[in-house]
Amino acid sequence: MPRAIFIGGTGSHVGKTCFTLGWARYLREQGEQVQVFKVGPDYLDPHHHVLATGRPCINLDMVMMSSSHIRDLLGHYGLGASVILVEGMMGLFDGSRKSEASSAALSKLLEMGVWLLFPGAALSHTAAALLKGMKDFDPLVQYEGVIFNYVSSLRHANLLDQAASTAGIPFLGALPSDGSMSLPSRHLGLALDEGTEDRIHQMASHIGSSLDTENLWHAMPSYSLPALRRRHKLSLAYGSPKRKILIARDEAFSFLYEANVQRLRDLGSLQFFSPLRDRVIPEGTDLLYFPGGYPELYARELSGNWQLKEALQRYHAGGGHIFGECGGAMYLGQGFQDENQKNHAMVGIFSFQTKMIPRGMYLGYRRIRASWGKEIWGHEFHYSHLVEVESGEWVDWD
């Protein structure tokens, strides 16, 4: 039976991801098989979790997934793991509407204990009041302990230990401020670079030298994985093995949910390709999938690969099936204008072009009512506008 813990925080930017990365890598270096899950529609943190654990990171989202599907994902991907870590999003009680679909709500659904990551900088006993407020806000949330981050000294740590005791939440340790407990970021979140692997190792070392890791180990309770429903299996090839699905994946296109990739694998044979480097589309391709990513950072290379752009135009004209989302849709449009007002010609299948708006972020869940009556949920997160080429008018969504 694996040990499991839910890692929540008092808000965003309190160090949840860096702590999860460091603790996961520390445990892996001790020989544990660590499976990480990430709450919410996050493409970026899971990339880092894969590096830390060597296993796929799976998103769990109470808005876009049913409760039974979430349990199935946990049960399926948790098999073979000795440790399960679930990293929360934003503050523990921040949800799509008040605390609905929040990290706290998911911890209760999974019946999993919580470690609260608390930023201790410039606080002492006031932390007791804040902790007590969180504990009393929802008595059904099971706190297994609190870890204070950004602590300045041993004396400061002792004061925070007293605050945790007053609030009635076990004190699991204090992490001193350290430059290794950070990652570079881009406008959509954390960035991957050549130094990420070394950073994760440094995070593990910092946690190992700063915290009582044996105490942390025992503060992760044993956990019974949800049983998979008999009628629900996540890895069966329902589709024809002759169906060929091609997915764009390289530095420009990397925002992929592992569960979606697995579902496509169930429907046929998968092959990945690079719009940056490949020049042709393999014969017999039944579906092309262009996910999101950072195409704006590789605009010159994508625009210059005219062989693939022409191949995509021919594929589309011949009735080929193409699905593009976010950055993938941008690439399939007429072109886009980068933050320096420079225009780059793209594939030209869609009639719109894209303009980057560095200071105008669009964020939130969106619901689509399909023509056949079904509601489909998605997530919007971008710094761009679409412009219709013919009218020159902005295209926007509520």
Side-chain angles (χ1 to χ4, degrees):
M1 185 178 294
R3 292 178 181 268
I5 202 69
F6 195 110
I7 299 170
T10 56
S12 298
H13 310 299
V14 299
K16 294 189 299 294
T17 297
C18 289
F19 176 81
T20 303
L21 290 170
W23 182 232
R25 172 56 66 84
Y26 177 86
L27 292 171
R28 183 185 180 190
E29 291 175 353
Q30 308 308 306
E32 302 297 334
Q33 294 292 318
V34 185
Q35 176 62 54
V36 177
F37 296 85
K38 172 65 183 180
V39 180
D42 191 319
Y43 293 107
L44 296 166
D45 290 355
H47 279 286
H48 297 84
H49 294 319
V50 170
L51 287 178
T53 66
R55 295 169 67 105
C57 177
I58 308 301
N59 295 79
L60 304 176
D61 190 310
M62 292 184 72
V63 174
M64 294 191 287
M65 298 176 181
S66 67
S67 296
S68 58
H69 183 58
I70 288 172
R71 293 191 188 96
D72 285 330
L73 288 171
L74 188 71
H76 178 81
Y77 287 96
L79 287 174
S82 58
V83 176
I84 293 172
L85 305 178
V86 181
E87 185 200 333
M89 63 175 181
M90 301 188 293
L92 191 64
F93 295 102
D94 297 328
S96 57
R97 181 179 178 273
K98 295 186 178 180
S99 61
E100 294 177 6
S102 64
S103 295
L106 184 59
S107 74
K108 292 188 293 183
L109 173 67
L110 301 179
E111 299 180 340
M112 191 176 291
V114 174
W115 285 355
L116 185 66
L117 203 65
F118 192 108
L123 281 176
S124 58
H125 211 63
T126 298
L130 298 173
L131 288 171
K132 186 69 162 57
M134 293 192 72
K135 182 180 179 183
D136 292 346
F137 184 78
D138 187 346
L140 296 180
V141 175
Q142 178 61 45
Y143 293 98
E144 300 294 340
V146 57
I147 298 168
F148 291 96
N149 205 3
Y150 315 128
V151 177
S152 60
S153 65
L154 179 59
R155 180 176 181 275
H156 188 198
N158 290 333
L159 292 173
L160 294 171
D161 187 353
Q162 294 171 24
S165 178
T166 299
I169 298 179
F171 174 80
L172 296 179
L175 278 169
S177 297
D178 189 273
S180 68
M181 297 296 286
S182 64
L183 287 168
S185 62
R186 292 196 184 116
H187 57 263
L188 292 179
L190 299 178
L192 281 169
D193 60 26
E194 294 180 355
T196 302
E197 174 67 28
D198 288 339
R199 283 272 184 163
I200 293 173
H201 177 72
Q202 292 169 19
M203 292 172 190
S205 297
H206 182 58
I207 288 173
S209 62
S210 303
L211 300 178
D212 183 344
T213 55
E214 184 175 355
N215 185 39
L216 286 180
W217 174 258
H218 292 293
M220 293 189 301
S222 297
Y223 186 76
S224 296
L225 286 171
L228 286 174
R229 290 174 290 159
R230 172 173 276 181
R231 294 175 56 194
H232 184 93
K233 294 188 178 180
L234 296 170
S235 299
L236 290 177
Y238 294 111
S240 166
K242 297 180 180 179
R243 185 179 287 123
K244 182 184 290 186
I245 300 171
L246 204 61
I247 301 178
R249 187 173 68 179
D250 57 17
E251 300 92 323
F253 303 98
S254 59
F255 294 178
L256 284 161
Y257 289 130
E258 177 64 28
N260 284 346
V261 173
Q262 182 60 54
R263 185 69 183 108
L264 289 173
R265 187 173 284 113
D266 294 340
L267 298 173
S269 63
L270 294 192
Q271 182 176 337
F272 295 95
F273 79 110
S274 169
L276 288 171
R277 288 174 281 274
D278 291 327
R279 302 288 186 261
V280 298
I281 299 171
E283 291 291 332
T285 296
D286 296 292
L287 172 67
L288 282 169
Y289 173 27
F290 289 88
Y294 289 116
E296 68 275 16
L297 300 181
Y298 302 91
R300 182 176 60 82
E301 295 88 340
L302 291 170
S303 181
N305 189 354
W306 59 267
Q307 298 98 325
L308 182 62
K309 291 196 295 183
E310 290 185 354
L312 288 168
Q313 292 167 359
R314 291 192 297 270
Y315 180 80
H316 171 66
H321 297 89
I322 305 175
F323 178 75
E325 62 184 10
C326 201
M330 291 165 59
Y331 173 65
L332 296 171
Q334 299 294 316
F336 57 81
Q337 186 180 91
D338 62 24
E339 296 178 7
N340 298 317
Q341 311 302 310
K342 182 175 176 57
N343 294 312
H344 305 271
M346 292 295 138
V347 178
I349 290 175
F350 294 137
S351 63
F352 57 75
Q353 60 185 5
T354 311
K355 182 176 182 180
M356 300 303 298
I357 309 293
R359 296 185 180 179
M361 184 176 73
Y362 293 81
L363 171 66
Y365 290 103
R366 301 292 181 258
R367 180 174 58 181
I368 299 172
R369 293 182 180 87
S371 58
W372 59 89
K374 187 176 180 61
E375 290 185 346
I376 302 172
W377 281 92
H379 189 257
E380 182 179 18
F381 188 17
H382 59 90
Y383 286 80
S384 58
H385 272 302
L386 299 184
V387 185
E388 287 289 354
V389 173
E390 295 180 359
S391 65
E393 296 179 355
W394 294 111
V395 177
D396 207 348
W397 297 271
D398 293 330

